[in-house]
Amino acid sequence: MYKSEIWSVIKTDSRLLEIYVVWEDKFDNDEWYFSNSFESISKGMSSEEAFNYIPNVIEILFKLDDDFLIWETLYFLIGLYSIADTTQVHPSIESNWSQLKQHIRKYQDSYTTPFKELMRMLRIKE
């Protein structure tokens, strides 16, 4: 994903967008880069804030075209759901479910592991 593509996502939190800029270099220097970066966003969030943050992550998932990045981002989404302490399907997921599933299905590793885990968590049938 190129920087110009990232910044075209206007509504998304800039802290989330910044995680994906030159991520390879950051990851090379810190194997916990994604975990630490996502935690810096979600740390201290209330359950309501975490639930309300979900649309930002959904928007990013549609922009990503790398299996590894999608994998990491899906686990961030699962983490937000854990903080939100709910299995309620967020309206942004509900309204975009078929497109999201179609997009992620292109990325075998992400589809078979974290995406299926998300489906189980939200009790969504195939």
Side-chain angles (χ1 to χ4, degrees), residues 89-106:
V89 178
H90 193 284
S92 69
I93 292 178
E94 194 168 21
S95 63
N96 292 296
W97 182 254
S98 62
Q99 300 97 310
L100 185 63
K101 185 176 178 180
Q102 183 177 3
H103 175 64
I104 293 176
R105 185 176 269 152
K106 297 176 211 169

Side-chain angles (χ1 to χ4, degrees), residues 3 20 34 42 51 79-80 82-83 90 97 100 105 117:
K3 190 170 185 169
Y20 302 96
F34 285 101
S42 62
F51 189 75
L80 286 173
S82 294
I83 294 167
H90 193 284
W97 182 254
L100 185 63
R105 185 176 269 152
E117 192 174 320

Side-chain angles (χ1 to χ4, degrees), residues 37-83:
S37 297
F38 292 140
E39 185 179 335
S40 74
I41 292 174
S42 62
K43 188 176 183 175
M45 277 187 176
S46 68
S47 59
E48 182 180 358
E49 289 169 327
F51 189 75
N52 290 335
Y53 199 83
I54 289 171
N56 290 304
V57 179
I58 299 305
E59 190 174 347
I60 285 291
L61 281 167
F62 279 118
K63 300 288 183 187
L64 296 175
D65 61 2
D66 180 281
D67 202 0
F68 178 72
L69 295 179
I70 291 171
W71 173 289
E72 293 289 339
T73 306
L74 282 169
Y75 274 113
F76 177 49
L77 180 59
I78 289 168
L80 286 173
Y81 262 103
S82 294
I83 294 167

Side-chain angles (χ1 to χ4, degrees), residues 21 108 113:
V21 177
Q108 188 63 35
T113 305

